[in-house]
Amino acid sequence: MSSGSLLRLQAAFPGCRLIADVFSRLTARSATRHPSLKQTGASLGWGIDDPREVESWAPGIYLLEEWYFTQDPDLDRLSLGYRSGLSVGGGF
């Protein structure tokens, strides 16, 4: 989703709340090397480093909450190896 896409959603659904899973710019650029994206040919078109940036795109857009998957209370259910990989990759 780009700023243009978000603005079209805002116009089509005034007053709604949008929940989005957004990557950093670095992650979006490097994601094409991930095996799952290689297999599907999918790509990530953009990323954002400061979630509050979306508030500058147009009046009426507000960041209500920022949440990281590493805050999930069920994260400890993942294997130690997976959690270690997230830690090394900067996920924690």
Side-chain angles (χ1 to χ4, degrees):
M1 174 181 308
S2 63
S3 60
S5 298
L6 182 65
L7 296 179
R8 286 192 294 280
L9 285 171
Q10 182 190 31
F13 304 102
C16 74
R17 291 186 177 186
L18 171 70
I19 298 171
D21 186 4
V22 181
F23 292 101
S24 69
R25 287 181 174 97
L26 176 62
T27 301
R29 282 193 305 267
S30 61
T32 55
R33 295 189 302 264
H34 191 277
S36 64
L37 290 179
K38 282 183 179 180
Q39 288 179 348
T40 63
S43 64
L44 300 176
W46 67 283
I48 191 167
D49 293 329
D50 178 2
R52 292 227 174 258
E53 181 182 326
V54 298
E55 295 179 327
S56 70
W57 292 352
I61 297 177
Y62 305 99
L63 176 67
L64 299 178
E65 182 178 0
E66 179 181 5
W67 187 83
Y68 295 92
F69 76 93
T70 54
Q71 295 170 291
D72 190 317
D74 293 325
L75 191 64
D76 61 346
R77 296 173 65 194
L78 296 174
S79 72
L80 178 61
Y82 192 84
R83 285 181 287 152
S84 297
L86 291 173
S87 179
V88 169
F92 289 129

